[in-house]
Amino acid sequence: MENDRHREDFCEVHQVHEEKVAEVKRIMLPEEKAQALAQIFKTLGDPTRIRIIFALMQGELCVCDLAEITDSSESSVSHHLRLLRTQKLVKYRREGKNLFYSLDDHHVEKLFKEGLKHVYE
Amino acid sequence: MENDRHREDFCEVHQVHEEKVAEVKRIMLPEEKAQALAQIFKTLGDPTRIRIIFALMQGELCVCDLAEITDSSESSVSHHLRLLRTQKLVKYRREGKNLFYSLDDHHVEKLFKEGLKHVYE
DNA sequence: TAAACATTTGAACAATTATTCATATGTTTA
DNA sequence: TAAACATATGAATAATTGTTCAAATGTTTA
């Protein structure tokens, strides 16, 4: 209580480089874009989803295929797919009892491959 | 208990496309690479770290500058920087009392910019 | 050398998240 | 139309994570 050193205190020490700080703040990403950018990375930030996406990069697959490939339960895969769906990263089509999922965002593959360069450097 | 439907059960239903599944499994990312790839994305998957990285893309900055820019406490920024440091995404140099941080991985900027395309499409 | 400063660190806490389990929904087949 | 199948969904749980707070470390200055 009573002390919030981060804004308009009586003394305002800190901030070593006021100009630099002001300039960076001026061109800073708007909050919503920072959130959105973090969100797409967060979505890619899970090993199971990584394997799902890698699998889908080879072509469309249904849920039980993905479960087998990623060695996860179908329920777990389904939850992951829902997340990917709500972010429009995958789409699906029904064929009889099966739902075939496929990638629906060309940026995903580019991000994925760019990330792989980092991993395999 | 007693039922684990995911492997070598008595009946082995599911797996709609055995060939497809086998082929994808054959070329699947090794577990360690999937983990590493997820890790780099997870690291980028936080709005505060996104703003820290964006700021550092403009040049080196010290911790209190970053705190001011991201409107976070210095402690919080420091924790984030530690994470980025342990993953070798940033480096720092000391100048008197200040530690100046800067980016230390050329992939990060490329990933960042590729992600921005997705956000601004 | 004591005080001020810049940053780090660890513990604590709340929030988020991945997985599991049980159940529901929709489709095909016998 | 009942049973089998493929998938989705919600609740529950355990694990992870971001932030805060208090205290420690290392540097400069008075």
Side-chain angles (χ1 to χ4, degrees):
Chain A
M1 342 334 194
E2 209 75 42
N3 66 336
D4 176 4
R5 282 154 66 246
H6 302 305
R7 198 156 287 288
E8 247 81 271
D9 227 43
F10 67 95
C11 186
E12 192 74 18
V13 251
H14 298 289
Q15 279 126 284
V16 176
H17 300 99
E18 297 220 36
E19 298 101 272
K20 256 192 187 176
V21 168
E23 168 62 7
V24 174
K25 279 179 113 170
R26 194 177 66 75
I27 64 172
M28 176 52 72
L29 279 182
E31 181 59 21
E32 31 143 4
K33 300 296 181 185
Q35 289 280 353
L37 190 50
Q39 184 55 65
I40 178 74
F41 285 129
K42 187 177 291 187
T43 300
L44 297 176
D46 176 87
T48 302
R49 284 195 294 273
I50 284 292
R51 297 205 302 272
I52 288 174
I53 290 169
F54 180 89
L56 293 180
M57 281 168 69
Q58 321 306 318
E60 65 173 13
L61 289 162
C62 67
V63 177
C64 67
D65 288 343
L66 288 167
E68 170 72 16
I69 288 167
T70 62
D71 199 30
S72 315
S73 70
E74 279 134 29
S75 177
S76 177
V77 168
S78 184
H79 280 297
H80 285 301
L81 287 170
R82 171 160 57 167
L83 187 68
L84 296 169
R85 230 164 45 213
T86 59
Q87 301 196 223
K88 305 254 196 271
L89 303 188
V90 302
K91 62 182 189 298
Y92 65 95
R93 69 179 179 84
R94 181 178 279 280
E95 187 177 306
K97 280 178 285 191
N98 293 303
L99 293 181
F100 284 87
Y101 280 85
S102 54
L103 295 181
D104 192 29
D105 184 312
H106 56 291
H107 293 306
V108 173
E109 287 197 54
K110 295 195 75 178
L111 273 175
F112 196 100
K113 287 174 181 167
E114 197 59 46
L116 271 185
K117 288 188 201 166
H118 176 268
V119 166
Y120 276 104
E121 78 179 342
Chain B
M1 342 321 189
E2 205 78 43
N3 65 335
D4 176 3
R5 281 153 69 246
H6 302 304
R7 198 156 289 286
E8 248 82 270
D9 227 40
F10 65 95
C11 186
E12 192 72 20
V13 249
H14 298 290
Q15 280 125 285
V16 177
H17 301 97
E18 297 221 38
E19 298 100 272
K20 256 190 185 177
V21 168
E23 168 63 6
V24 174
K25 278 179 115 169
R26 195 177 65 75
I27 65 173
M28 177 53 70
L29 280 181
E31 181 59 20
E32 31 143 5
K33 300 298 182 183
Q35 289 280 353
L37 190 50
Q39 185 54 64
I40 178 74
F41 285 129
K42 187 177 290 188
T43 300
L44 297 176
D46 175 87
T48 302
R49 285 194 293 273
I50 285 292
R51 297 205 302 273
I52 289 174
I53 290 168
F54 180 90
L56 293 180
M57 281 169 69
Q58 319 307 316
E60 66 173 12
L61 289 163
C62 67
V63 177
C64 66
D65 288 343
L66 288 168
E68 169 72 14
I69 288 166
T70 62
D71 199 29
S72 313
S73 71
E74 279 133 30
S75 178
S76 177
V77 168
S78 183
H79 280 297
H80 285 301
L81 287 170
R82 170 160 58 166
L83 187 67
L84 295 170
R85 233 166 42 215
T86 58
Q87 301 196 226
K88 306 254 197 268
L89 303 189
V90 302
K91 62 182 190 297
Y92 65 95
R93 69 179 179 84
R94 180 178 281 276
E95 186 178 306
K97 281 177 284 193
N98 293 306
L99 293 181
F100 284 87
Y101 279 84
S102 54
L103 295 181
D104 193 29
D105 184 311
H106 56 290
H107 294 306
V108 173
E109 285 190 65
K110 294 195 75 178
L111 273 175
F112 195 101
K113 287 173 182 169
E114 196 60 45
L116 272 186
K117 288 188 202 168
H118 176 268
V119 165
Y120 277 103
E121 78 181 343

mmCIF file of all heavy atoms in Angstrom, chain B residues 51-83:
data_model
loop_
_atom_site.group_PDB
_atom_site.id
_atom_site.type_symbol
_atom_site.label_atom_id
_atom_site.label_comp_id
_atom_site.label_asym_id
_atom_site.label_seq_id
_atom_site.Cartn_x
_atom_site.Cartn_y
_atom_site.Cartn_z
ATOM 1 N N ARG B 51 6.428 -7.306 -25.925
ATOM 2 C CA ARG B 51 6.764 -5.877 -25.896
ATOM 3 C C ARG B 51 8.238 -5.668 -25.558
ATOM 4 O O ARG B 51 8.878 -4.763 -26.098
ATOM 5 C CB ARG B 51 5.860 -5.143 -24.899
ATOM 6 C CG ARG B 51 4.376 -5.212 -25.323
ATOM 7 C CD ARG B 51 3.535 -4.084 -24.786
ATOM 8 N NE ARG B 51 3.533 -3.994 -23.344
ATOM 9 C CZ ARG B 51 2.688 -4.666 -22.536
ATOM 10 N NH1 ARG B 51 1.754 -5.455 -23.056
ATOM 11 N NH2 ARG B 51 2.757 -4.541 -21.243
ATOM 12 N N ILE B 52 8.771 -6.540 -24.711
ATOM 13 C CA ILE B 52 10.208 -6.455 -24.421
ATOM 14 C C ILE B 52 11.019 -6.691 -25.691
ATOM 15 O O ILE B 52 11.946 -5.945 -26.013
ATOM 16 C CB ILE B 52 10.611 -7.480 -23.333
ATOM 17 C CG1 ILE B 52 10.054 -7.056 -21.971
ATOM 18 C CG2 ILE B 52 12.122 -7.647 -23.265
ATOM 19 C CD1 ILE B 52 10.268 -8.079 -20.856
ATOM 20 N N ILE B 53 10.657 -7.718 -26.422
ATOM 21 C CA ILE B 53 11.401 -8.039 -27.641
ATOM 22 C C ILE B 53 11.245 -6.936 -28.684
ATOM 23 O O ILE B 53 12.220 -6.521 -29.320
ATOM 24 C CB ILE B 53 10.946 -9.401 -28.209
ATOM 25 C CG1 ILE B 53 11.417 -10.525 -27.270
ATOM 26 C CG2 ILE B 53 11.487 -9.619 -29.619
ATOM 27 C CD1 ILE B 53 10.809 -11.873 -27.556
ATOM 28 N N PHE B 54 10.022 -6.435 -28.827
ATOM 29 C CA PHE B 54 9.804 -5.328 -29.760
ATOM 30 C C PHE B 54 10.698 -4.152 -29.388
ATOM 31 O O PHE B 54 11.346 -3.541 -30.245
ATOM 32 C CB PHE B 54 8.337 -4.903 -29.745
ATOM 33 C CG PHE B 54 8.041 -3.765 -30.679
ATOM 34 C CD1 PHE B 54 7.676 -4.004 -31.989
ATOM 35 C CD2 PHE B 54 8.146 -2.441 -30.252
ATOM 36 C CE1 PHE B 54 7.414 -2.947 -32.864
ATOM 37 C CE2 PHE B 54 7.893 -1.387 -31.119
ATOM 38 C CZ PHE B 54 7.526 -1.638 -32.430
ATOM 39 N N ALA B 55 10.760 -3.844 -28.113
ATOM 40 C CA ALA B 55 11.589 -2.726 -27.652
ATOM 41 C C ALA B 55 13.054 -2.976 -27.976
ATOM 42 O O ALA B 55 13.750 -2.093 -28.487
ATOM 43 C CB ALA B 55 11.391 -2.521 -26.153
ATOM 44 N N LEU B 56 13.523 -4.206 -27.709
ATOM 45 C CA LEU B 56 14.931 -4.517 -27.957
ATOM 46 C C LEU B 56 15.251 -4.554 -29.447
ATOM 47 O O LEU B 56 16.411 -4.411 -29.841
ATOM 48 C CB LEU B 56 15.297 -5.842 -27.288
ATOM 49 C CG LEU B 56 15.271 -5.832 -25.757
ATOM 50 C CD1 LEU B 56 15.640 -7.187 -25.201
ATOM 51 C CD2 LEU B 56 16.203 -4.751 -25.199
ATOM 52 N N MET B 57 14.232 -4.721 -30.264
ATOM 53 C CA MET B 57 14.459 -4.659 -31.712
ATOM 54 C C MET B 57 14.856 -3.244 -32.137
ATOM 55 O O MET B 57 15.413 -3.045 -33.218
ATOM 56 C CB MET B 57 13.210 -5.123 -32.473
ATOM 57 C CG MET B 57 13.058 -6.643 -32.514
ATOM 58 S SD MET B 57 11.435 -7.200 -33.116
ATOM 59 C CE MET B 57 11.497 -6.721 -34.834
ATOM 60 N N GLN B 58 14.584 -2.270 -31.284
ATOM 61 C CA GLN B 58 14.959 -0.889 -31.597
ATOM 62 C C GLN B 58 16.360 -0.568 -31.078
ATOM 63 O O GLN B 58 16.882 0.522 -31.336
ATOM 64 C CB GLN B 58 13.961 0.102 -30.993
ATOM 65 C CG GLN B 58 12.507 -0.297 -31.090
ATOM 66 C CD GLN B 58 12.076 -0.641 -32.507
ATOM 67 O OE1 GLN B 58 12.418 0.058 -33.450
ATOM 68 N NE2 GLN B 58 11.331 -1.735 -32.639
ATOM 69 N N GLY B 59 16.960 -1.502 -30.352
ATOM 70 C CA GLY B 59 18.291 -1.251 -29.807
ATOM 71 C C GLY B 59 18.370 -1.669 -28.352
ATOM 72 O O GLY B 59 17.367 -2.034 -27.751
ATOM 73 N N GLU B 60 19.582 -1.630 -27.810
ATOM 74 C CA GLU B 60 19.758 -2.107 -26.435
ATOM 75 C C GLU B 60 19.098 -1.166 -25.436
ATOM 76 O O GLU B 60 19.010 0.040 -25.651
ATOM 77 C CB GLU B 60 21.245 -2.282 -26.123
ATOM 78 C CG GLU B 60 22.024 -0.987 -26.104
ATOM 79 C CD GLU B 60 23.466 -1.187 -25.619
ATOM 80 O OE1 GLU B 60 23.917 -2.338 -25.520
ATOM 81 O OE2 GLU B 60 24.125 -0.160 -25.338
ATOM 82 N N LEU B 61 18.623 -1.772 -24.349
ATOM 83 C CA LEU B 61 17.931 -1.005 -23.309
ATOM 84 C C LEU B 61 18.225 -1.640 -21.966
ATOM 85 O O LEU B 61 18.490 -2.843 -21.882
ATOM 86 C CB LEU B 61 16.417 -1.038 -23.555
ATOM 87 C CG LEU B 61 15.900 -0.225 -24.749
ATOM 88 C CD1 LEU B 61 14.501 -0.663 -25.134
ATOM 89 C CD2 LEU B 61 15.935 1.268 -24.429
ATOM 90 N N CYS B 62 18.160 -0.833 -20.922
ATOM 91 C CA CYS B 62 18.391 -1.404 -19.597
ATOM 92 C C CYS B 62 17.056 -1.770 -18.951
ATOM 93 O O CYS B 62 15.980 -1.464 -19.482
ATOM 94 C CB CYS B 62 19.190 -0.466 -18.713
ATOM 95 S SG CYS B 62 18.301 1.012 -18.279
ATOM 96 N N VAL B 63 17.143 -2.469 -17.842
ATOM 97 C CA VAL B 63 15.964 -3.052 -17.220
ATOM 98 C C VAL B 63 14.917 -2.005 -16.857
ATOM 99 O O VAL B 63 13.725 -2.185 -17.122
ATOM 100 C CB VAL B 63 16.360 -3.855 -15.963
ATOM 101 C CG1 VAL B 63 15.140 -4.410 -15.272
ATOM 102 C CG2 VAL B 63 17.306 -4.979 -16.362
ATOM 103 N N CYS B 64 15.360 -0.880 -16.304
ATOM 104 C CA CYS B 64 14.348 0.089 -15.868
ATOM 105 C C CYS B 64 13.699 0.779 -17.059
ATOM 106 O O CYS B 64 12.529 1.154 -17.002
ATOM 107 C CB CYS B 64 14.925 1.084 -14.864
ATOM 108 S SG CYS B 64 16.186 2.164 -15.523
ATOM 109 N N ASP B 65 14.444 0.916 -18.159
ATOM 110 C CA ASP B 65 13.826 1.406 -19.389
ATOM 111 C C ASP B 65 12.723 0.450 -19.840
ATOM 112 O O ASP B 65 11.606 0.866 -20.162
ATOM 113 C CB ASP B 65 14.860 1.514 -20.516
ATOM 114 C CG ASP B 65 15.831 2.666 -20.307
ATOM 115 O OD1 ASP B 65 15.531 3.561 -19.498
ATOM 116 O OD2 ASP B 65 16.898 2.652 -20.953
ATOM 117 N N LEU B 66 13.059 -0.826 -19.855
ATOM 118 C CA LEU B 66 12.088 -1.834 -20.294
ATOM 119 C C LEU B 66 10.871 -1.866 -19.379
ATOM 120 O O LEU B 66 9.744 -2.059 -19.841
ATOM 121 C CB LEU B 66 12.752 -3.210 -20.353
ATOM 122 C CG LEU B 66 13.744 -3.394 -21.509
ATOM 123 C CD1 LEU B 66 14.568 -4.663 -21.318
ATOM 124 C CD2 LEU B 66 12.998 -3.441 -22.847
ATOM 125 N N ALA B 67 11.115 -1.655 -18.098
ATOM 126 C CA ALA B 67 9.999 -1.631 -17.143
ATOM 127 C C ALA B 67 9.066 -0.472 -17.464
ATOM 128 O O ALA B 67 7.840 -0.623 -17.489
ATOM 129 C CB ALA B 67 10.536 -1.525 -15.718
ATOM 130 N N GLU B 68 9.662 0.681 -17.711
ATOM 131 C CA GLU B 68 8.870 1.862 -18.056
ATOM 132 C C GLU B 68 8.114 1.636 -19.376
ATOM 133 O O GLU B 68 6.914 1.904 -19.470
ATOM 134 C CB GLU B 68 9.807 3.072 -18.173
ATOM 135 C CG GLU B 68 9.206 4.319 -18.761
ATOM 136 C CD GLU B 68 8.228 5.016 -17.829
ATOM 137 O OE1 GLU B 68 8.212 4.691 -16.629
ATOM 138 O OE2 GLU B 68 7.465 5.872 -18.333
ATOM 139 N N ILE B 69 8.810 1.114 -20.351
ATOM 140 C CA ILE B 69 8.221 0.924 -21.683
ATOM 141 C C ILE B 69 7.068 -0.069 -21.645
ATOM 142 O O ILE B 69 6.029 0.141 -22.274
ATOM 143 C CB ILE B 69 9.296 0.439 -22.683
ATOM 144 C CG1 ILE B 69 10.258 1.586 -23.017
ATOM 145 C CG2 ILE B 69 8.659 -0.119 -23.951
ATOM 146 C CD1 ILE B 69 11.522 1.144 -23.720
ATOM 147 N N THR B 70 7.246 -1.134 -20.894
ATOM 148 C CA THR B 70 6.227 -2.181 -20.879
ATOM 149 C C THR B 70 5.226 -1.981 -19.749
ATOM 150 O O THR B 70 4.318 -2.783 -19.582
ATOM 151 C CB THR B 70 6.863 -3.568 -20.701
ATOM 152 O OG1 THR B 70 7.535 -3.619 -19.436
ATOM 153 C CG2 THR B 70 7.868 -3.858 -21.808
ATOM 154 N N ASP B 71 5.444 -0.927 -18.985
ATOM 155 C CA ASP B 71 4.557 -0.626 -17.872
ATOM 156 C C ASP B 71 4.440 -1.810 -16.903
ATOM 157 O O ASP B 71 3.356 -2.197 -16.485
ATOM 158 C CB ASP B 71 3.164 -0.258 -18.418
ATOM 159 C CG ASP B 71 2.349 0.499 -17.386
ATOM 160 O OD1 ASP B 71 2.946 1.199 -16.557
ATOM 161 O OD2 ASP B 71 1.110 0.370 -17.399
ATOM 162 N N SER B 72 5.599 -2.394 -16.620
ATOM 163 C CA SER B 72 5.667 -3.509 -15.663
ATOM 164 C C SER B 72 6.666 -3.145 -14.572
ATOM 165 O O SER B 72 7.429 -2.194 -14.708
ATOM 166 C CB SER B 72 6.164 -4.782 -16.347
ATOM 167 O OG SER B 72 5.509 -5.003 -17.560
ATOM 168 N N SER B 73 6.678 -3.916 -13.521
ATOM 169 C CA SER B 73 7.664 -3.701 -12.473
ATOM 170 C C SER B 73 9.030 -4.170 -12.959
ATOM 171 O O SER B 73 9.130 -4.995 -13.874
ATOM 172 C CB SER B 73 7.275 -4.482 -11.227
ATOM 173 O OG SER B 73 7.456 -5.864 -11.439
ATOM 174 N N GLU B 74 10.074 -3.625 -12.346
ATOM 175 C CA GLU B 74 11.417 -4.055 -12.744
ATOM 176 C C GLU B 74 11.623 -5.533 -12.429
ATOM 177 O O GLU B 74 12.289 -6.244 -13.185
ATOM 178 C CB GLU B 74 12.470 -3.200 -12.032
ATOM 179 C CG GLU B 74 12.677 -1.869 -12.727
ATOM 180 C CD GLU B 74 12.688 -0.693 -11.773
ATOM 181 O OE1 GLU B 74 13.094 -0.868 -10.618
ATOM 182 O OE2 GLU B 74 12.268 0.409 -12.192
ATOM 183 N N SER B 75 11.043 -5.972 -11.345
ATOM 184 C CA SER B 75 11.175 -7.376 -10.977
ATOM 185 C C SER B 75 10.565 -8.283 -12.035
ATOM 186 O O SER B 75 11.165 -9.274 -12.455
ATOM 187 C CB SER B 75 10.507 -7.621 -9.634
ATOM 188 O OG SER B 75 10.587 -8.977 -9.299
ATOM 189 N N SER B 76 9.397 -7.910 -12.461
ATOM 190 C CA SER B 76 8.727 -8.717 -13.476
ATOM 191 C C SER B 76 9.546 -8.767 -14.766
ATOM 192 O O SER B 76 9.769 -9.833 -15.339
ATOM 193 C CB SER B 76 7.330 -8.152 -13.743
ATOM 194 O OG SER B 76 6.699 -8.877 -14.759
ATOM 195 N N VAL B 77 10.031 -7.604 -15.181
ATOM 196 C CA VAL B 77 10.863 -7.548 -16.388
ATOM 197 C C VAL B 77 12.103 -8.402 -16.210
ATOM 198 O O VAL B 77 12.503 -9.138 -17.117
ATOM 199 C CB VAL B 77 11.248 -6.085 -16.709
ATOM 200 C CG1 VAL B 77 12.336 -6.039 -17.770
ATOM 201 C CG2 VAL B 77 10.030 -5.301 -17.169
ATOM 202 N N SER B 78 12.682 -8.317 -15.045
ATOM 203 C CA SER B 78 13.897 -9.082 -14.774
ATOM 204 C C SER B 78 13.649 -10.587 -14.889
ATOM 205 O O SER B 78 14.465 -11.326 -15.440
ATOM 206 C CB SER B 78 14.423 -8.737 -13.389
ATOM 207 O OG SER B 78 15.641 -9.406 -13.136
ATOM 208 N N HIS B 79 12.519 -11.027 -14.373
ATOM 209 C CA HIS B 79 12.169 -12.446 -14.506
ATOM 210 C C HIS B 79 12.019 -12.835 -15.976
ATOM 211 O O HIS B 79 12.495 -13.882 -16.401
ATOM 212 C CB HIS B 79 10.871 -12.746 -13.762
ATOM 213 C CG HIS B 79 11.037 -12.911 -12.293
ATOM 214 N ND1 HIS B 79 11.792 -13.906 -11.732
ATOM 215 C CD2 HIS B 79 10.553 -12.200 -11.251
ATOM 216 C CE1 HIS B 79 11.765 -13.811 -10.412
ATOM 217 N NE2 HIS B 79 11.013 -12.775 -10.091
ATOM 218 N N HIS B 80 11.363 -11.984 -16.731
ATOM 219 C CA HIS B 80 11.203 -12.279 -18.159
ATOM 220 C C HIS B 80 12.557 -12.327 -18.857
ATOM 221 O O HIS B 80 12.813 -13.197 -19.687
ATOM 222 C CB HIS B 80 10.310 -11.235 -18.819
ATOM 223 C CG HIS B 80 8.863 -11.386 -18.494
ATOM 224 N ND1 HIS B 80 8.157 -12.537 -18.778
ATOM 225 C CD2 HIS B 80 7.973 -10.542 -17.919
ATOM 226 C CE1 HIS B 80 6.907 -12.389 -18.382
ATOM 227 N NE2 HIS B 80 6.763 -11.194 -17.858
ATOM 228 N N LEU B 81 13.415 -11.377 -18.501
ATOM 229 C CA LEU B 81 14.731 -11.333 -19.137
ATOM 230 C C LEU B 81 15.556 -12.571 -18.797
ATOM 231 O O LEU B 81 16.306 -13.075 -19.631
ATOM 232 C CB LEU B 81 15.480 -10.069 -18.713
ATOM 233 C CG LEU B 81 14.957 -8.774 -19.346
ATOM 234 C CD1 LEU B 81 15.590 -7.561 -18.691
ATOM 235 C CD2 LEU B 81 15.201 -8.757 -20.858
ATOM 236 N N ARG B 82 15.377 -13.056 -17.585
ATOM 237 C CA ARG B 82 16.096 -14.279 -17.227
ATOM 238 C C ARG B 82 15.695 -15.431 -18.129
ATOM 239 O O ARG B 82 16.528 -16.202 -18.612
ATOM 240 C CB ARG B 82 15.847 -14.646 -15.770
ATOM 241 C CG ARG B 82 16.387 -16.037 -15.453
ATOM 242 C CD ARG B 82 16.607 -16.268 -13.995
ATOM 243 N NE ARG B 82 15.384 -16.080 -13.233
ATOM 244 C CZ ARG B 82 15.237 -16.488 -11.970
ATOM 245 N NH1 ARG B 82 16.238 -17.082 -11.349
ATOM 246 N NH2 ARG B 82 14.120 -16.299 -11.338
ATOM 247 N N LEU B 83 14.371 -15.526 -18.357
ATOM 248 C CA LEU B 83 13.882 -16.580 -19.247
ATOM 249 C C LEU B 83 14.486 -16.428 -20.643
ATOM 250 O O LEU B 83 14.980 -17.394 -21.232
ATOM 251 C CB LEU B 83 12.348 -16.495 -19.319
ATOM 252 C CG LEU B 83 11.646 -17.622 -20.064
ATOM 253 C CD1 LEU B 83 11.789 -18.930 -19.329
ATOM 254 C CD2 LEU B 83 10.175 -17.290 -20.261
#
